[in-house]
């Protein structure tokens, strides 16, 4: 598959649709951590994330995941559509901005949010798992919360475990989301 794609479509086809996710991931991370911190302050009545219990950390992650769905849905819609269009046939889109323009023209602004509920269903549990496992890992491995007081190796291992938890929980939902976002407008599930 890799050799066939490389030969027929070129090296840069592996990066099709990357510009939107790069920008989107920066915005998504900003929203995620801002919402997580704000949720932590609300949950702990004005204290910081370092004062969260593990269940509270999961709850703050669930809340933060809700906000990221608003950023990620259009980003991933554009990324998925650009990734599935094939070279060698008539291209549907001439890049991310053209994909956005065509989507809005044919489906309205709400068309950019196709797959929103499946993105929401992915992001909420995924981020709850991510923050919960990260904090649990730091506390188990380093007997400390994940802040400057935890050794680097504890944060590294906890981050790796959190990343695994993030994808292990919602992966089936992500598959459905990607299918929804790349279907033609007239397509339906049967």
């Amino acid at each position: 598959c890799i050799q066939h794609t490389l030969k027929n479509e070129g090296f840069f086809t592996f990066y099709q649709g990357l510009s939107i996710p790069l920008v989107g991931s920066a915005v998504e991370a900003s929203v995620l951590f801002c919402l997580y911190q704000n949720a932590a302050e609300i949950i702990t009545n004005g204290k910081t994330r370092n004062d969260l219990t593990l269940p509270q950390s999961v709850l703050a992650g669930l809340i933060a995941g809700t906000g990221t769905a608003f950023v990620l849905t259009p980003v991933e819609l554009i990324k998925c559509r650009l990734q599935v269009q094939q070279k060698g046939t008539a291209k549907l889109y001439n890049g991310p901005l053209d994909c956005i323009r065509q989507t809005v023209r044919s489906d309205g602004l709400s068309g950019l949010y196709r797959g929103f509920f499946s993105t929401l269903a992915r992001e909420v549990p995924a981020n709850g798992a991510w923050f919960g496992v990260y904090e649990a890992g730091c506390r188990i491995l380093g007997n400390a919360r994940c802040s400057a007081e935890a050794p680097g190796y504890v944060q590294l291992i906890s981050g790796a475990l959190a990343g695994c938890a993030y994808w292990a929980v919602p992966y089936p939902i992500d598959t459905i989301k990607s299918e929804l976002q790349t279907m033609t407008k007239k397509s339906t599930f049967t």
Side-chain angles (χ1 to χ4, degrees):
C1 179
I2 293 172
Q3 287 177 333
H4 175 78
T5 302
L6 192 57
K7 180 182 174 188
N8 294 319
E9 299 180 36
F11 176 75
F12 289 106
T13 199
F14 294 112
Y15 293 94
Q16 246 178 280
L18 181 63
S19 60
I20 292 293
L22 276 178
V23 171
S25 67
V27 174
E28 183 247 344
S30 300
V31 168
L32 178 68
F33 289 106
C34 179
L35 289 176
Y36 182 77
Q37 183 63 38
N38 288 337
E41 289 174 8
I42 291 167
I43 291 167
T44 60
N45 294 318
K47 296 178 183 171
T48 67
R49 72 175 187 85
N50 289 330
D51 298 306
L52 293 171
T53 64
L54 284 177
Q56 289 173 329
S57 183
V58 171
L59 178 60
L62 294 170
I63 293 167
T66 302
T68 62
F70 288 94
V71 174
L72 286 175
T73 301
V75 168
E76 292 200 3
L77 177 110
I78 302 307
K79 176 196 72 142
C80 288
R81 288 185 175 179
L82 289 173
Q83 285 176 333
V84 298
Q85 75 176 353
Q86 296 179 358
K87 285 196 175 178
T89 61
K91 288 176 81 172
L92 296 172
Y93 311 107
N94 292 317
L97 294 178
D98 184 50
C99 186
I100 293 168
R101 192 172 16 259
Q102 287 190 47
T103 300
V104 171
R105 187 178 304 133
S106 67
D107 303 333
L109 197 55
S110 65
L112 292 172
Y113 284 89
R114 182 178 196 166
F116 172 77
F117 290 107
S118 53
T119 303
L120 185 67
R122 180 193 74 189
E123 287 302 305
V124 171
N127 283 293
W130 186 19
F131 284 106
V133 168
Y134 182 69
E135 288 297 334
C138 285
R139 293 171 193 191
I140 292 167
L141 296 170
N143 201 22
R145 286 175 163 69
C146 283
S147 63
E149 63 194 59
Y153 76 91
V154 168
Q155 293 181 39
L156 183 71
I157 293 169
S158 298
L161 293 171
C164 291
Y166 176 93
W167 281 110
V169 170
Y171 197 76
I173 296 168
D174 185 63
T175 303
I176 293 167
K177 176 211 62 80
S178 296
E179 184 68 28
L180 280 169
Q181 291 182 321
T182 57
M183 290 179 356
T184 61
K185 187 175 181 178
K186 295 176 184 170
S187 295
T188 59
F189 282 114
T190 56

